[in-house]
Amino acid sequence: MVLSAADKTNVKGIFSKIGGHAEEYGAETLERMFITYPQTKTYFPHFDLQHGSAQIKAHGKKVAAALVEAVNHIDDIAGALSKLSDLHAQKLRVDPVNFRFLGHCFLVVVAIHHPAALTPEVHASLDKFMCAVGTVLTAKYR
Amino acid sequence: MVHWSAEEKQLITGLWGKVNVEECGAEALARLLIVYPWTQRFFDNFGNLSSPTAIIGNPKVRAHGKKVLTSFGEAVKNLENLKATYAKLSELHCEKLHVDPENFRLLGDILIIVLAAHFTKDFTPACQATWQKLVGVVAHALAYKYH
């Protein structure tokens, strides 16, 4: 699927609303994902996954930074996330289904904090964007 | 059979009591048709679905959304017996409507986002997890009689 010009505008718009909260939303997204989809915890046996964990905060910050990077280079997400894509293919090898869970939980977090901004059109664009990110991160798997 | 803890039951019935079924149902169905436009394939007779505005304002979408979520209310009342509750509907969706069960999962996820936007901070992680379990189980029950 391709991000239209309107999609890109919508995604940039919602991320500018998110602003400095991106890191906090990253952590909240992970926390919700671990609780809702416990199988996702299998990728973090080395983490303290309790509520408020410093590791979840730190990792949430990394995830958020990657998403922001993708938004800032929305015309070339593959280029922007190329190194991350290599990492996921060669080292992390997170099963592709999990990117859908992460994307969904991120949307839930945005819905909670910016319900008015998540219009159906923005919802659609953001969902597409998260799919695109997942596709890029799993593109080199085989 | 699915097991529901006392806490889960409380999270479900507590939230459901505050849901405006007509509004929420209409919004969930509209968002399904907007976010996943291929789902429009089941609604050729609904008239104008040509834009998000058209979909949101479409009276057939509203009515059908209300119908779908009202049916969901049956799940909330019959948590211990979802397969039986949805047996006939499952057959209908398979034999007459020919709906791929993946669509039940898509609608379930959309419903979660609508609830999140509506209840914001009250839609805690525990609440989300419980409701994800519920929509998953409903989707499973609706797919159960497929052949």
Side-chain angles (χ1 to χ4, degrees), chain B residues 110-142:
Chain B
I110 292 274
L111 179 61
I112 295 291
I113 289 172
V114 168
L115 293 176
H118 192 78
F119 292 103
T120 64
K121 298 239 160 40
D122 288 344
F123 200 63
T124 61
C127 199
Q128 181 188 349
T130 299
W131 274 82
Q132 296 274 183
K133 180 176 168 182
L134 178 60
V135 301
V137 171
V138 168
H140 182 77
L142 272 172

PDB file of all heavy atoms in Angstrom, chain B residues 110-142:
ATOM      1  N   ILE B 110     -11.123  -2.083  15.556  1.00  0.00           N
ATOM      2  CA  ILE B 110     -11.681  -0.743  15.371  1.00  0.00           C
ATOM      3  C   ILE B 110     -12.506  -0.368  16.606  1.00  0.00           C
ATOM      4  O   ILE B 110     -12.425   0.757  17.109  1.00  0.00           O
ATOM      5  CB  ILE B 110     -12.567  -0.675  14.115  1.00  0.00           C
ATOM      6  CG1 ILE B 110     -11.733  -0.827  12.849  1.00  0.00           C
ATOM      7  CG2 ILE B 110     -13.378   0.602  14.106  1.00  0.00           C
ATOM      8  CD1 ILE B 110     -11.134   0.427  12.302  1.00  0.00           C
ATOM      9  N   LEU B 111     -13.291  -1.312  17.106  1.00  0.00           N
ATOM     10  CA  LEU B 111     -14.125  -1.047  18.281  1.00  0.00           C
ATOM     11  C   LEU B 111     -13.253  -0.645  19.465  1.00  0.00           C
ATOM     12  O   LEU B 111     -13.575   0.290  20.205  1.00  0.00           O
ATOM     13  CB  LEU B 111     -14.972  -2.281  18.627  1.00  0.00           C
ATOM     14  CG  LEU B 111     -15.881  -2.134  19.855  1.00  0.00           C
ATOM     15  CD1 LEU B 111     -16.902  -1.013  19.649  1.00  0.00           C
ATOM     16  CD2 LEU B 111     -16.604  -3.448  20.150  1.00  0.00           C
ATOM     17  N   ILE B 112     -12.134  -1.315  19.631  1.00  0.00           N
ATOM     18  CA  ILE B 112     -11.203  -0.991  20.705  1.00  0.00           C
ATOM     19  C   ILE B 112     -10.754   0.463  20.596  1.00  0.00           C
ATOM     20  O   ILE B 112     -10.687   1.204  21.587  1.00  0.00           O
ATOM     21  CB  ILE B 112      -9.968  -1.928  20.667  1.00  0.00           C
ATOM     22  CG1 ILE B 112     -10.363  -3.379  20.956  1.00  0.00           C
ATOM     23  CG2 ILE B 112      -8.880  -1.459  21.622  1.00  0.00           C
ATOM     24  CD1 ILE B 112     -10.798  -3.666  22.363  1.00  0.00           C
ATOM     25  N   ILE B 113     -10.414   0.899  19.391  1.00  0.00           N
ATOM     26  CA  ILE B 113      -9.943   2.272  19.202  1.00  0.00           C
ATOM     27  C   ILE B 113     -11.067   3.273  19.463  1.00  0.00           C
ATOM     28  O   ILE B 113     -10.848   4.314  20.074  1.00  0.00           O
ATOM     29  CB  ILE B 113      -9.328   2.430  17.796  1.00  0.00           C
ATOM     30  CG1 ILE B 113      -8.003   1.664  17.753  1.00  0.00           C
ATOM     31  CG2 ILE B 113      -9.106   3.907  17.446  1.00  0.00           C
ATOM     32  CD1 ILE B 113      -7.359   1.556  16.400  1.00  0.00           C
ATOM     33  N   VAL B 114     -12.276   2.938  19.064  1.00  0.00           N
ATOM     34  CA  VAL B 114     -13.425   3.820  19.327  1.00  0.00           C
ATOM     35  C   VAL B 114     -13.645   3.935  20.839  1.00  0.00           C
ATOM     36  O   VAL B 114     -13.868   5.030  21.363  1.00  0.00           O
ATOM     37  CB  VAL B 114     -14.697   3.290  18.620  1.00  0.00           C
ATOM     38  CG1 VAL B 114     -15.936   4.013  19.107  1.00  0.00           C
ATOM     39  CG2 VAL B 114     -14.567   3.447  17.111  1.00  0.00           C
ATOM     40  N   LEU B 115     -13.557   2.824  21.545  1.00  0.00           N
ATOM     41  CA  LEU B 115     -13.710   2.841  23.006  1.00  0.00           C
ATOM     42  C   LEU B 115     -12.594   3.659  23.651  1.00  0.00           C
ATOM     43  O   LEU B 115     -12.822   4.430  24.582  1.00  0.00           O
ATOM     44  CB  LEU B 115     -13.711   1.413  23.569  1.00  0.00           C
ATOM     45  CG  LEU B 115     -14.900   0.529  23.200  1.00  0.00           C
ATOM     46  CD1 LEU B 115     -14.710  -0.898  23.739  1.00  0.00           C
ATOM     47  CD2 LEU B 115     -16.218   1.111  23.731  1.00  0.00           C
ATOM     48  N   ALA B 116     -11.375   3.497  23.135  1.00  0.00           N
ATOM     49  CA  ALA B 116     -10.231   4.239  23.682  1.00  0.00           C
ATOM     50  C   ALA B 116     -10.445   5.739  23.522  1.00  0.00           C
ATOM     51  O   ALA B 116     -10.221   6.514  24.462  1.00  0.00           O
ATOM     52  CB  ALA B 116      -8.940   3.818  22.972  1.00  0.00           C
ATOM     53  N   ALA B 117     -10.894   6.153  22.353  1.00  0.00           N
ATOM     54  CA  ALA B 117     -11.117   7.583  22.098  1.00  0.00           C
ATOM     55  C   ALA B 117     -12.237   8.108  22.985  1.00  0.00           C
ATOM     56  O   ALA B 117     -12.206   9.249  23.435  1.00  0.00           O
ATOM     57  CB  ALA B 117     -11.441   7.811  20.629  1.00  0.00           C
ATOM     58  N   HIS B 118     -13.216   7.273  23.239  1.00  0.00           N
ATOM     59  CA  HIS B 118     -14.363   7.698  24.031  1.00  0.00           C
ATOM     60  C   HIS B 118     -14.065   7.758  25.520  1.00  0.00           C
ATOM     61  O   HIS B 118     -14.417   8.713  26.200  1.00  0.00           O
ATOM     62  CB  HIS B 118     -15.529   6.755  23.764  1.00  0.00           C
ATOM     63  CG  HIS B 118     -16.814   7.278  24.294  1.00  0.00           C
ATOM     64  ND1 HIS B 118     -17.545   8.250  23.657  1.00  0.00           N
ATOM     65  CD2 HIS B 118     -17.478   6.990  25.429  1.00  0.00           C
ATOM     66  CE1 HIS B 118     -18.605   8.529  24.383  1.00  0.00           C
ATOM     67  NE2 HIS B 118     -18.595   7.773  25.457  1.00  0.00           N
ATOM     68  N   PHE B 119     -13.388   6.737  26.023  1.00  0.00           N
ATOM     69  CA  PHE B 119     -13.166   6.656  27.464  1.00  0.00           C
ATOM     70  C   PHE B 119     -11.811   7.173  27.925  1.00  0.00           C
ATOM     71  O   PHE B 119     -11.568   7.313  29.111  1.00  0.00           O
ATOM     72  CB  PHE B 119     -13.391   5.207  27.946  1.00  0.00           C
ATOM     73  CG  PHE B 119     -14.824   4.771  27.861  1.00  0.00           C
ATOM     74  CD1 PHE B 119     -15.264   3.946  26.843  1.00  0.00           C
ATOM     75  CD2 PHE B 119     -15.745   5.217  28.800  1.00  0.00           C
ATOM     76  CE1 PHE B 119     -16.594   3.554  26.749  1.00  0.00           C
ATOM     77  CE2 PHE B 119     -17.087   4.836  28.719  1.00  0.00           C
ATOM     78  CZ  PHE B 119     -17.513   4.007  27.695  1.00  0.00           C
ATOM     79  N   THR B 120     -10.949   7.482  27.024  1.00  0.00           N
ATOM     80  CA  THR B 120      -9.576   7.981  27.236  1.00  0.00           C
ATOM     81  C   THR B 120      -8.908   7.329  28.453  1.00  0.00           C
ATOM     82  O   THR B 120      -8.769   6.111  28.508  1.00  0.00           O
ATOM     83  CB  THR B 120      -9.542   9.518  27.301  1.00  0.00           C
ATOM     84  OG1 THR B 120     -10.273   9.982  28.401  1.00  0.00           O
ATOM     85  CG2 THR B 120     -10.091  10.121  26.026  1.00  0.00           C
ATOM     86  N   LYS B 121      -8.544   8.109  29.457  1.00  0.00           N
ATOM     87  CA  LYS B 121      -7.764   7.553  30.561  1.00  0.00           C
ATOM     88  C   LYS B 121      -8.460   6.380  31.263  1.00  0.00           C
ATOM     89  O   LYS B 121      -7.791   5.518  31.829  1.00  0.00           O
ATOM     90  CB  LYS B 121      -7.441   8.646  31.595  1.00  0.00           C
ATOM     91  CG  LYS B 121      -6.593   9.767  31.036  1.00  0.00           C
ATOM     92  CD  LYS B 121      -5.272   9.930  31.777  1.00  0.00           C
ATOM     93  CE  LYS B 121      -4.201  10.681  31.013  1.00  0.00           C
ATOM     94  NZ  LYS B 121      -4.626  11.859  30.237  1.00  0.00           N
ATOM     95  N   ASP B 122      -9.777   6.340  31.232  1.00  0.00           N
ATOM     96  CA  ASP B 122     -10.486   5.230  31.877  1.00  0.00           C
ATOM     97  C   ASP B 122     -10.261   3.918  31.131  1.00  0.00           C
ATOM     98  O   ASP B 122     -10.526   2.845  31.667  1.00  0.00           O
ATOM     99  CB  ASP B 122     -11.987   5.516  31.951  1.00  0.00           C
ATOM    100  CG  ASP B 122     -12.299   6.592  32.982  1.00  0.00           C
ATOM    101  OD1 ASP B 122     -11.424   6.869  33.820  1.00  0.00           O
ATOM    102  OD2 ASP B 122     -13.415   7.139  32.941  1.00  0.00           O
ATOM    103  N   PHE B 123      -9.826   4.021  29.889  1.00  0.00           N
ATOM    104  CA  PHE B 123      -9.557   2.813  29.104  1.00  0.00           C
ATOM    105  C   PHE B 123      -8.138   2.371  29.434  1.00  0.00           C
ATOM    106  O   PHE B 123      -7.212   2.476  28.633  1.00  0.00           O
ATOM    107  CB  PHE B 123      -9.741   3.093  27.608  1.00  0.00           C
ATOM    108  CG  PHE B 123      -9.952   1.853  26.779  1.00  0.00           C
ATOM    109  CD1 PHE B 123     -11.061   1.045  26.978  1.00  0.00           C
ATOM    110  CD2 PHE B 123      -9.057   1.493  25.773  1.00  0.00           C
ATOM    111  CE1 PHE B 123     -11.269  -0.102  26.218  1.00  0.00           C
ATOM    112  CE2 PHE B 123      -9.250   0.350  25.000  1.00  0.00           C
ATOM    113  CZ  PHE B 123     -10.352  -0.445  25.227  1.00  0.00           C
ATOM    114  N   THR B 124      -7.985   1.866  30.647  1.00  0.00           N
ATOM    115  CA  THR B 124      -6.670   1.493  31.169  1.00  0.00           C
ATOM    116  C   THR B 124      -6.103   0.302  30.396  1.00  0.00           C
ATOM    117  O   THR B 124      -6.839  -0.379  29.669  1.00  0.00           O
ATOM    118  CB  THR B 124      -6.808   1.050  32.636  1.00  0.00           C
ATOM    119  OG1 THR B 124      -7.683  -0.083  32.669  1.00  0.00           O
ATOM    120  CG2 THR B 124      -7.373   2.160  33.510  1.00  0.00           C
ATOM    121  N   PRO B 125      -4.806   0.035  30.566  1.00  0.00           N
ATOM    122  CA  PRO B 125      -4.243  -1.158  29.921  1.00  0.00           C
ATOM    123  C   PRO B 125      -5.001  -2.424  30.277  1.00  0.00           C
ATOM    124  O   PRO B 125      -5.249  -3.266  29.407  1.00  0.00           O
ATOM    125  CB  PRO B 125      -2.805  -1.190  30.454  1.00  0.00           C
ATOM    126  CG  PRO B 125      -2.462   0.246  30.677  1.00  0.00           C
ATOM    127  CD  PRO B 125      -3.734   0.881  31.183  1.00  0.00           C
ATOM    128  N   ALA B 126      -5.409  -2.568  31.540  1.00  0.00           N
ATOM    129  CA  ALA B 126      -6.154  -3.772  31.949  1.00  0.00           C
ATOM    130  C   ALA B 126      -7.490  -3.835  31.228  1.00  0.00           C
ATOM    131  O   ALA B 126      -7.939  -4.900  30.796  1.00  0.00           O
ATOM    132  CB  ALA B 126      -6.377  -3.779  33.458  1.00  0.00           C
ATOM    133  N   CYS B 127      -8.110  -2.674  31.088  1.00  0.00           N
ATOM    134  CA  CYS B 127      -9.390  -2.585  30.384  1.00  0.00           C
ATOM    135  C   CYS B 127      -9.199  -2.977  28.918  1.00  0.00           C
ATOM    136  O   CYS B 127      -9.961  -3.768  28.367  1.00  0.00           O
ATOM    137  CB  CYS B 127      -9.889  -1.146  30.512  1.00  0.00           C
ATOM    138  SG  CYS B 127     -11.621  -0.980  30.210  1.00  0.00           S
ATOM    139  N   GLN B 128      -8.166  -2.433  28.303  1.00  0.00           N
ATOM    140  CA  GLN B 128      -7.896  -2.751  26.898  1.00  0.00           C
ATOM    141  C   GLN B 128      -7.667  -4.242  26.727  1.00  0.00           C
ATOM    142  O   GLN B 128      -8.232  -4.873  25.834  1.00  0.00           O
ATOM    143  CB  GLN B 128      -6.677  -1.987  26.376  1.00  0.00           C
ATOM    144  CG  GLN B 128      -6.397  -2.302  24.908  1.00  0.00           C
ATOM    145  CD  GLN B 128      -5.098  -1.730  24.371  1.00  0.00           C
ATOM    146  OE1 GLN B 128      -4.444  -0.910  25.001  1.00  0.00           O
ATOM    147  NE2 GLN B 128      -4.719  -2.149  23.181  1.00  0.00           N
ATOM    148  N   ALA B 129      -6.839  -4.818  27.596  1.00  0.00           N
ATOM    149  CA  ALA B 129      -6.515  -6.245  27.478  1.00  0.00           C
ATOM    150  C   ALA B 129      -7.780  -7.095  27.583  1.00  0.00           C
ATOM    151  O   ALA B 129      -7.972  -8.046  26.819  1.00  0.00           O
ATOM    152  CB  ALA B 129      -5.505  -6.652  28.546  1.00  0.00           C
ATOM    153  N   THR B 130      -8.652  -6.745  28.532  1.00  0.00           N
ATOM    154  CA  THR B 130      -9.895  -7.502  28.722  1.00  0.00           C
ATOM    155  C   THR B 130     -10.788  -7.383  27.492  1.00  0.00           C
ATOM    156  O   THR B 130     -11.354  -8.366  27.024  1.00  0.00           O
ATOM    157  CB  THR B 130     -10.637  -6.993  29.969  1.00  0.00           C
ATOM    158  OG1 THR B 130      -9.800  -7.184  31.100  1.00  0.00           O
ATOM    159  CG2 THR B 130     -11.941  -7.746  30.175  1.00  0.00           C
ATOM    160  N   TRP B 131     -10.914  -6.162  26.981  1.00  0.00           N
ATOM    161  CA  TRP B 131     -11.776  -5.959  25.818  1.00  0.00           C
ATOM    162  C   TRP B 131     -11.182  -6.584  24.553  1.00  0.00           C
ATOM    163  O   TRP B 131     -11.911  -7.074  23.705  1.00  0.00           O
ATOM    164  CB  TRP B 131     -12.075  -4.470  25.636  1.00  0.00           C
ATOM    165  CG  TRP B 131     -13.250  -4.105  26.487  1.00  0.00           C
ATOM    166  CD1 TRP B 131     -13.254  -3.814  27.820  1.00  0.00           C
ATOM    167  CD2 TRP B 131     -14.616  -4.079  26.081  1.00  0.00           C
ATOM    168  NE1 TRP B 131     -14.527  -3.613  28.263  1.00  0.00           N
ATOM    169  CE2 TRP B 131     -15.390  -3.748  27.218  1.00  0.00           C
ATOM    170  CE3 TRP B 131     -15.266  -4.287  24.862  1.00  0.00           C
ATOM    171  CZ2 TRP B 131     -16.776  -3.632  27.175  1.00  0.00           C
ATOM    172  CZ3 TRP B 131     -16.647  -4.163  24.811  1.00  0.00           C
ATOM    173  CH2 TRP B 131     -17.379  -3.840  25.964  1.00  0.00           C
ATOM    174  N   GLN B 132      -9.864  -6.611  24.444  1.00  0.00           N
ATOM    175  CA  GLN B 132      -9.246  -7.295  23.302  1.00  0.00           C
ATOM    176  C   GLN B 132      -9.582  -8.779  23.381  1.00  0.00           C
ATOM    177  O   GLN B 132      -9.847  -9.431  22.371  1.00  0.00           O
ATOM    178  CB  GLN B 132      -7.727  -7.128  23.283  1.00  0.00           C
ATOM    179  CG  GLN B 132      -7.230  -5.720  23.102  1.00  0.00           C
ATOM    180  CD  GLN B 132      -7.109  -5.249  21.647  1.00  0.00           C
ATOM    181  OE1 GLN B 132      -6.661  -4.140  21.385  1.00  0.00           O
ATOM    182  NE2 GLN B 132      -7.502  -6.074  20.705  1.00  0.00           N
ATOM    183  N   LYS B 133      -9.541  -9.310  24.597  1.00  0.00           N
ATOM    184  CA  LYS B 133      -9.868 -10.728  24.786  1.00  0.00           C
ATOM    185  C   LYS B 133     -11.317 -10.949  24.353  1.00  0.00           C
ATOM    186  O   LYS B 133     -11.616 -11.896  23.619  1.00  0.00           O
ATOM    187  CB  LYS B 133      -9.671 -11.097  26.266  1.00  0.00           C
ATOM    188  CG  LYS B 133      -9.989 -12.551  26.604  1.00  0.00           C
ATOM    189  CD  LYS B 133      -9.679 -12.840  28.076  1.00  0.00           C
ATOM    190  CE  LYS B 133     -10.260 -14.177  28.511  1.00  0.00           C
ATOM    191  NZ  LYS B 133     -10.002 -14.442  29.953  1.00  0.00           N
ATOM    192  N   LEU B 134     -12.199 -10.040  24.771  1.00  0.00           N
ATOM    193  CA  LEU B 134     -13.618 -10.179  24.430  1.00  0.00           C
ATOM    194  C   LEU B 134     -13.854 -10.127  22.926  1.00  0.00           C
ATOM    195  O   LEU B 134     -14.532 -10.991  22.364  1.00  0.00           O
ATOM    196  CB  LEU B 134     -14.443  -9.091  25.130  1.00  0.00           C
ATOM    197  CG  LEU B 134     -15.948  -9.099  24.828  1.00  0.00           C
ATOM    198  CD1 LEU B 134     -16.581 -10.421  25.256  1.00  0.00           C
ATOM    199  CD2 LEU B 134     -16.651  -7.949  25.532  1.00  0.00           C
ATOM    200  N   VAL B 135     -13.270  -9.128  22.257  1.00  0.00           N
ATOM    201  CA  VAL B 135     -13.516  -9.030  20.809  1.00  0.00           C
ATOM    202  C   VAL B 135     -12.919 -10.241  20.089  1.00  0.00           C
ATOM    203  O   VAL B 135     -13.476 -10.714  19.094  1.00  0.00           O
ATOM    204  CB  VAL B 135     -13.029  -7.694  20.173  1.00  0.00           C
ATOM    205  CG1 VAL B 135     -13.717  -6.509  20.828  1.00  0.00           C
ATOM    206  CG2 VAL B 135     -11.538  -7.545  20.188  1.00  0.00           C
ATOM    207  N   GLY B 136     -11.819 -10.750  20.625  1.00  0.00           N
ATOM    208  CA  GLY B 136     -11.204 -11.942  20.035  1.00  0.00           C
ATOM    209  C   GLY B 136     -12.100 -13.158  20.176  1.00  0.00           C
ATOM    210  O   GLY B 136     -12.280 -13.938  19.234  1.00  0.00           O
ATOM    211  N   VAL B 137     -12.684 -13.294  21.342  1.00  0.00           N
ATOM    212  CA  VAL B 137     -13.553 -14.435  21.601  1.00  0.00           C
ATOM    213  C   VAL B 137     -14.849 -14.335  20.789  1.00  0.00           C
ATOM    214  O   VAL B 137     -15.353 -15.343  20.276  1.00  0.00           O
ATOM    215  CB  VAL B 137     -13.825 -14.536  23.120  1.00  0.00           C
ATOM    216  CG1 VAL B 137     -14.871 -15.560  23.409  1.00  0.00           C
ATOM    217  CG2 VAL B 137     -12.550 -14.917  23.851  1.00  0.00           C
ATOM    218  N   VAL B 138     -15.370 -13.130  20.657  1.00  0.00           N
ATOM    219  CA  VAL B 138     -16.573 -12.924  19.830  1.00  0.00           C
ATOM    220  C   VAL B 138     -16.262 -13.269  18.373  1.00  0.00           C
ATOM    221  O   VAL B 138     -17.038 -13.966  17.712  1.00  0.00           O
ATOM    222  CB  VAL B 138     -17.098 -11.476  19.947  1.00  0.00           C
ATOM    223  CG1 VAL B 138     -18.146 -11.184  18.875  1.00  0.00           C
ATOM    224  CG2 VAL B 138     -17.689 -11.231  21.328  1.00  0.00           C
ATOM    225  N   ALA B 139     -15.107 -12.809  17.894  1.00  0.00           N
ATOM    226  CA  ALA B 139     -14.707 -13.114  16.512  1.00  0.00           C
ATOM    227  C   ALA B 139     -14.598 -14.625  16.326  1.00  0.00           C
ATOM    228  O   ALA B 139     -15.044 -15.177  15.321  1.00  0.00           O
ATOM    229  CB  ALA B 139     -13.374 -12.448  16.182  1.00  0.00           C
ATOM    230  N   HIS B 140     -14.030 -15.289  17.304  1.00  0.00           N
ATOM    231  CA  HIS B 140     -13.876 -16.745  17.245  1.00  0.00           C
ATOM    232  C   HIS B 140     -15.240 -17.427  17.220  1.00  0.00           C
ATOM    233  O   HIS B 140     -15.475 -18.363  16.436  1.00  0.00           O
ATOM    234  CB  HIS B 140     -13.050 -17.209  18.444  1.00  0.00           C
ATOM    235  CG  HIS B 140     -12.785 -18.682  18.463  1.00  0.00           C
ATOM    236  ND1 HIS B 140     -11.837 -19.297  17.672  1.00  0.00           N
ATOM    237  CD2 HIS B 140     -13.372 -19.686  19.160  1.00  0.00           C
ATOM    238  CE1 HIS B 140     -11.846 -20.603  17.897  1.00  0.00           C
ATOM    239  NE2 HIS B 140     -12.757 -20.863  18.796  1.00  0.00           N
ATOM    240  N   ALA B 141     -16.160 -16.966  18.065  1.00  0.00           N
ATOM    241  CA  ALA B 141     -17.502 -17.556  18.125  1.00  0.00           C
ATOM    242  C   ALA B 141     -18.240 -17.345  16.801  1.00  0.00           C
ATOM    243  O   ALA B 141     -18.932 -18.249  16.311  1.00  0.00           O
ATOM    244  CB  ALA B 141     -18.301 -16.950  19.275  1.00  0.00           C
ATOM    245  N   LEU B 142     -18.063 -16.182  16.209  1.00  0.00           N
ATOM    246  CA  LEU B 142     -18.721 -15.891  14.928  1.00  0.00           C
ATOM    247  C   LEU B 142     -18.135 -16.721  13.797  1.00  0.00           C
ATOM    248  O   LEU B 142     -18.808 -16.968  12.797  1.00  0.00           O
ATOM    249  CB  LEU B 142     -18.586 -14.411  14.585  1.00  0.00           C
ATOM    250  CG  LEU B 142     -19.688 -13.511  15.135  1.00  0.00           C
ATOM    251  CD1 LEU B 142     -19.325 -12.063  14.892  1.00  0.00           C
ATOM    252  CD2 LEU B 142     -21.027 -13.840  14.497  1.00  0.00           C
TER     253      LEU B 142
END
